[in-house]
Amino acid sequence: MHFSYKPLPEGDGEWIRVLRLFPGKGEDPIVCELLLMNLRRSHFRKTPKYEAVSYVWGDPNRVQEITCEGLPLFITINLYQALRRFRYHDQSRQLWADGICIDQQNDVEKGYQVSIMGQIYEQSNCTLIWLGEVDHFPCEDRHPSCAEDAISLIRDFNCYFESQYAKLDNSSLTDVVRDIHKIPPVPGDHRLRNETKKWGCLRALLSRPWFSRVWVLQEVGLSRRAIAFSGKSSLPFGDLVLFVLVYDSTTIVPKSDSLPTGRIMDAFWSIWATFGMNESWMNEKSAVKEYAHEMKRRYGTDSNAAILILGAGRQFEASEDRDHIYAFLGHPALRGILKPDYGAALEHVCLALAQKLLCSGCSLNMLAFVDNSDDDLLRSDGSPPSWVPQWHTSLTYRRYPHERWMLREINTTAHETIINVSGNRLHIAALLVDTVDGCTQTLGGPLGDTGVAATDSHLGHKVQQLWNTFCNSRQNSGVRAVRISNCLYAFIWTLVYGRYPHPPLVEADFDSFCKHYDVSNFPQSFGNDISRSNSGPTLVSSIRFRQAMDATFHNKRFFTTTGGRCGIGPQTIRDGDIVALVFGCNAPLILRPTSTPDHYKLSGSSFIFDLIYNATMTMDQWRNGLLQKQEIVLE
């Protein structure tokens, strides 16, 4: 006879089960019982506290037996190892872990428990993050102290940063986001430069599957306190995040072999920092607190907050596609917008969310997160509609629509915006400003066709080809002549999708790139125009420009238009597609005409330099009657 769940109480209250883990040591059997707890009870503070466990399920077929209320219960190996690590030797411990506290075979219960998941982690005393045992590390030099070596390296790095930051002149500091760059690199003889094995262990630690799991984003974001564990080692999660923020934002140590910090950075910027918790692990480190406050100020209360959160979650993983939506329903920007229903079809969940977002004041910037495939555009049954983002699909490209794009001219004309959802159709107002007349094959990183990376010998030639394509298109379009340097400026920013780590250096870095990859025509053609940037104290870098292009061109296409423009668009873009500026959306969209007049399918967003950074000219054409506002329908 195996353990079976009793139904949770019905009626008033938000009931959960809490795991009481009985004491034990080493290989002792794991023994526990389940207690009922009402999160809404007025005397909740008098009830024993619990700690929530954040972990990765792992292979559901690899299970281990524990004893729950005297009966056998099977749980995943990873959760079994976590319980063994968190078990006290001399007293019981109260925990919450979804693999035990939720009846996973009951979809109704699971949906209800998911709807209050945010409160479960928010009310827990601490979140215990289980990164796994050391023997699972993907490390060439794996050894029993590998986790401890990684954690000691983080502590040494943070110690250096905090000591140097304290030495800065406080009168000149405005915010840590900007002033963090003033921290000097570690001296050549500093141990941080010579701990090769420890850096390998840290790379392995940050590569653990936990960092790629979508559910951890909400679990950690709502936590008052959070501690990361691996094997016998542990570290406050705020210390780990401080390390990632400083490492990724400075040149304190050389980055010849960079760490996998991208997901953690995106999670912090777009998600964790926007929760706005008064009591949070993010307040434990002053630099992390200041970073979070700045990100909250910029994006946390914006109408785009919900879509930025959902967009950031697309690069994380979930065993259930609907969890790419359900995992964020505890965030203040999405709380209560949808009830989790594991019996509903995925396409219906995506459509319902899109309708709810638009009806609750979310801007049409949601459309900029659409990334359709050719199959999506060929569907004739309209399910799912082309304008509905599929938040569970990984983006085919690496760059999100930039939240700072300045299409403010069209976004501030709120009275012109139309949002009318009618079943599967979305009625909007737009200016149809241009038509695609040519596009390359799908580009891979960096700048290789069909996803194949270009070699150094072909890289410069490829950029030259793109420039020639742009110039030829302008000549054929018959548009009035523009200074060649202005065209080059637009071309350079197109290559990096309007985003660059050091914007004042973009032209100088491109010049360096041309010289490094022997693109001799550019310096000859443009003379001194390309070298007008002031490099300042930061060194010019051809590698930096190449890395920016790599991120831009991953699974995207370079295209030209009949109006003499060039841009970067989705891999589905084709000749004859329409470039549209939608009232209420920051990014130019690529539309595919259908057989019905004024009806289109949405391919995706694009970057076109003059439509983003010089939208005033286009808006003046509309105001002067040269462009007509149209009400169109997206199917």
Side-chain angles (χ1 to χ4, degrees):
M1 184 176 179
H2 291 81
F3 174 82
S4 62
Y5 289 89
K6 298 175 183 177
L8 289 168
E10 297 181 359
D12 185 46
E14 292 170 340
W15 290 93
I16 64 171
R17 301 183 186 94
V18 172
L19 165 73
R20 176 180 286 166
L21 183 62
F22 291 112
K25 297 180 180 179
E27 299 298 324
D28 290 349
I30 290 178
V31 181
C32 67
E33 65 178 354
L34 294 179
L35 310 175
L36 289 177
M37 184 175 289
N38 188 342
L39 296 181
R40 266 202 216 160
R41 288 174 65 171
S42 59
H43 62 278
F44 173 75
R45 293 182 181 179
K46 297 180 181 180
T47 62
K49 296 291 186 179
Y50 64 93
E51 297 162 294
V53 180
S54 179
Y55 69 105
V56 174
W57 274 56
D59 186 349
N61 297 314
R62 296 187 63 226
V63 296
Q64 185 76 32
E65 181 181 327
I66 66 171
T67 300
C68 184
E69 299 181 358
L71 297 172
L73 173 66
F74 290 91
I75 61 174
T76 62
I77 293 290
N78 208 34
L79 179 54
Y80 178 85
Q81 292 173 338
L83 295 181
R84 192 168 59 181
R85 172 63 176 85
F86 299 147
R87 178 174 57 181
Y88 289 141
H89 294 170
D90 56 356
Q91 60 180 315
S92 62
R93 189 173 194 177
Q94 294 198 162
L95 304 172
W96 187 92
D98 61 351
I100 297 176
C101 297
I102 298 177
D103 182 356
Q104 298 294 329
Q105 305 306 313
N106 186 333
D107 281 348
V108 174
E109 177 183 308
K110 187 163 65 171
Y112 172 70
Q113 292 286 286
V114 165
S115 71
I116 62 172
M117 192 80 74
Q119 293 163 262
I120 293 172
Y121 279 87
E122 192 172 4
Q123 294 192 21
S124 70
N125 193 42
C126 179
T127 295
L128 310 177
I129 299 168
W130 178 244
L131 301 179
E133 293 289 358
V134 178
D135 57 4
H136 294 162
F137 270 31
C139 181
E140 293 181 1
D141 189 40
R142 185 172 61 228
H143 50 83
S145 62
C146 198
E148 185 55 42
D149 284 351
I151 288 172
S152 70
L153 190 67
I154 290 175
R155 291 192 177 110
D156 288 345
F157 183 95
N158 290 352
C159 183
Y160 175 81
F161 162 73
E162 290 174 325
S163 65
Q164 294 297 317
Y165 192 71
K167 294 177 183 178
L168 295 179
D169 181 7
N170 289 329
S171 63
S172 67
L173 301 181
T174 56
D175 64 74
V176 69
V177 178
R178 191 188 73 176
D179 296 319
I180 198 172
H181 300 287
K182 298 178 181 179
I183 303 298
V186 296
D189 59 349
H190 197 283
R191 63 177 178 272
L192 284 171
R193 288 180 176 267
N194 304 309
E195 300 279 15
T196 304
K197 290 184 178 180
K198 286 188 177 181
W199 283 105
C201 290
L202 180 53
R203 188 173 299 108
L205 180 73
L206 297 178
S207 300
R208 300 299 294 141
W210 183 90
F211 292 102
S212 64
R213 179 173 168 260
V214 73
W215 272 107
V216 308
L217 301 172
Q218 175 176 266
E219 293 168 359
V220 171
L222 287 168
S223 299
R224 300 175 183 178
R225 295 176 56 239
I227 304 174
F229 296 81
S230 181
K232 296 180 180 180
S233 305
S234 64
L235 180 76
F237 193 69
D239 288 38
L240 188 149
V241 170
L242 174 63
F243 166 81
V244 170
L245 291 174
V246 177
Y247 174 86
D248 214 63
S249 305
T250 68
T251 55
I252 286 180
V253 293
K255 300 177 184 176
S256 57
D257 190 7
S258 61
L259 299 174
T261 56
R263 276 178 169 158
I264 303 174
M265 284 292 290
D266 287 344
F268 183 83
W269 292 125
S270 300
I271 302 173
W272 292 333
T274 64
F275 274 94
M277 301 283 292
N278 292 326
E279 188 178 355
S280 169
W281 57 267
M282 286 178 273
N283 299 334
E284 295 172 359
K285 291 288 183 179
S286 59
V288 176
K289 181 180 180 179
E290 291 180 48
Y291 260 95
H293 181 267
E294 178 62 17
M295 293 304 103
K296 173 69 175 176
R297 185 188 65 81
R298 291 184 189 179
Y299 313 119
T301 58
D302 191 89
S303 61
N304 295 323
I307 55 176
L308 290 173
I309 292 162
L310 292 164
R314 293 173 88 162
Q315 63 180 306
F316 291 82
E317 299 168 6
S319 55
E320 163 61 62
D321 287 339
R322 285 164 289 200
D323 284 342
H324 280 274
I325 295 172
Y326 295 162
F328 298 109
L329 296 183
H331 191 284
L334 287 159
R335 188 170 290 175
I337 198 168
L338 205 65
K339 289 185 177 181
D341 182 0
Y342 284 94
L346 175 63
E347 59 197 49
H348 295 156
V349 175
C350 291
L351 176 60
L353 177 63
Q355 293 171 333
K356 292 276 189 179
L357 285 171
L358 293 178
C359 292
S360 62
C362 179
S363 74
L364 284 172
N365 281 326
M366 181 187 77
L367 302 179
F369 285 81
V370 167
D371 180 32
N372 281 321
S373 66
D374 286 320
D375 289 341
D376 293 330
L377 296 178
L378 290 174
R379 286 179 179 149
S380 58
D381 60 358
S383 179
S386 68
W387 55 272
V388 174
Q390 305 299 300
W391 302 111
H392 61 286
T393 60
S394 298
L395 288 174
T396 57
Y397 52 93
R398 294 179 186 166
R399 288 225 160 149
Y400 296 99
H402 198 333
E403 64 273 6
R404 288 187 145 191
W405 281 356
M406 293 291 107
L407 251 177
R408 299 202 183 278
E409 278 288 325
I410 198 165
N411 215 19
T412 53
T413 53
H415 62 284
E416 300 287 349
T417 301
I418 295 175
I419 303 176
N420 183 7
V421 180
S422 178
N424 283 10
R425 295 177 175 178
L426 175 64
H427 297 250
I428 55 177
L431 303 177
L432 308 184
V433 298
D434 218 334
T435 303
V436 175
D437 69 354
C439 55
T440 65
Q441 296 178 350
T442 300
L443 296 162
L447 295 180
D449 287 342
T450 61
V452 180
T455 61
D456 286 358
S457 59
H458 295 100
L459 190 56
H461 176 65
K462 190 64 187 180
V463 172
Q464 183 68 61
Q465 278 186 322
L466 296 179
W467 171 252
N468 292 339
T469 298
F470 177 37
C471 290
N472 292 337
S473 175
R474 288 189 60 82
Q475 290 178 352
N476 295 334
S477 69
V479 296
R480 64 182 179 84
V482 178
R483 280 189 65 195
I484 197 70
S485 59
N486 291 342
C487 292
L488 174 63
Y489 189 71
F491 177 74
I492 292 172
W493 277 104
T494 299
L495 293 180
V496 297
Y497 212 60
R499 304 175 70 173
Y500 206 66
H502 297 286
L505 288 176
V506 66
E507 292 173 272
D509 283 356
F510 179 72
D511 188 23
S512 176
F513 169 88
C514 291
K515 292 174 181 176
H516 183 83
Y517 292 101
D518 196 28
V519 190
S520 55
N521 288 347
F522 278 109
Q524 291 174 2
S525 298
F526 304 117
N528 294 327
D529 284 325
I530 200 171
S531 302
R532 61 179 181 235
S533 297
N534 177 19
S535 60
T538 307
L539 295 177
V540 171
S541 171
S542 63
I543 296 175
R544 182 167 52 228
F545 194 85
R546 175 173 177 164
Q547 289 173 337
M549 284 195 299
D550 181 17
T552 294
F553 278 86
H554 185 78
N555 287 329
K556 280 189 163 292
R557 292 177 185 260
F558 180 89
F559 67 91
T560 57
T561 70
T562 56
R565 299 178 172 96
C566 70
I568 300 294
Q571 62 177 343
T572 52
I573 195 169
R574 299 290 184 270
D575 290 6
D577 283 351
I578 303 299
V579 178
L581 296 184
V582 173
F583 287 87
C585 180
N586 280 358
L589 303 180
I590 304 299
L591 307 181
R592 179 73 46 83
T594 70
S595 57
T596 305
D598 298 327
H599 284 231
Y600 300 86
K601 291 196 173 184
L602 175 56
S603 177
S605 63
S606 66
F607 176 88
I608 302 175
F609 180 82
D610 72 295
L611 293 184
I612 290 174
Y613 292 108
N614 193 20
T616 302
M617 183 181 299
T618 303
M619 298 306 293
D620 286 344
Q621 291 178 326
W622 165 56
R623 294 186 181 100
N624 294 330
L626 300 177
L627 280 175
Q628 296 298 317
K629 171 188 168 184
Q630 300 182 45
E631 183 174 340
I632 63 174
V633 179
L634 298 182
E635 297 182 345

